[in-house]
Amino acid sequence: MRWGNVDYKQLQQLRDNLQKLQDMDLDKFCEDVSKELAARLLALVIPATPVGQYPKASGKKGGTLRRGWTAKTEEDARNGSGSGANKAVAYANALPVFKRGRTFYIEVINPVHYASYVEFGHRTPGGKGWVAGRYFLTISEQKLEQVAPSVIEKKLEALLREAFKV
């Protein structure tokens, strides 16, 4: 009775590839994906953030809230220069990634004190009326949630290609 021929080289290659995958730094992969998603969120939220329009005579300069996305403090946002795409990517790459249990997270914060009021709405001075929220961050998060699976899938595919290349 004959069962056939077996080429163990392919099984050995699979074993070696699986070992290479196991040896890869998967925490770094998760950190890189987190930073990529943070950069994409910033790319969505920065242009969606409203800019205040003030009369020239007031001496006020609009854009503090928008600049706040890549500023460390509200003062930096007030005095800083624009918030271009390159600055947003560099800022996202500099953000710390935290790991709690098996979950990785990254905090994207706008330090401007009135950011939540513009996002969710607020009472007018004197409390007689209501200014509707603009939901620029909420909408940007929803857009990111739609593309995040494909972004993660592409990154994971690249990782697997690296591990299983011959």
Side-chain angles (χ1 to χ4, degrees), residues 39-139:
R40 286 175 179 260
L41 177 62
L42 288 169
L44 291 167
V45 75
I46 289 171
T49 303
V51 175
Q53 304 296 321
Y54 302 102
K56 289 202 180 234
S58 73
K60 290 184 176 182
K61 176 183 170 188
T64 300
L65 185 59
R66 185 176 282 186
R67 287 187 302 274
W69 290 112
T70 55
K72 292 185 177 165
T73 65
E74 184 170 351
E75 184 69 25
D76 290 344
R78 254 188 259 115
N79 300 329
S81 58
S83 42
N86 289 339
K87 188 173 183 181
V89 170
Y91 180 77
N93 285 330
L95 290 173
V97 178
F98 302 98
K99 182 179 179 185
R100 202 173 278 153
R102 295 177 57 190
T103 303
F104 288 82
Y105 69 97
I106 190 166
E107 293 177 340
V108 177
I109 298 171
N110 191 321
V112 178
H113 75 278
Y114 56 84
S116 63
Y117 300 119
V118 179
E119 173 74 9
F120 299 113
H122 60 90
R123 288 188 161 282
T124 57
K128 302 271 188 217
W130 180 260
V131 176
R134 301 291 291 274
Y135 301 103
F136 50 95
L137 178 59
T138 302
I139 292 167

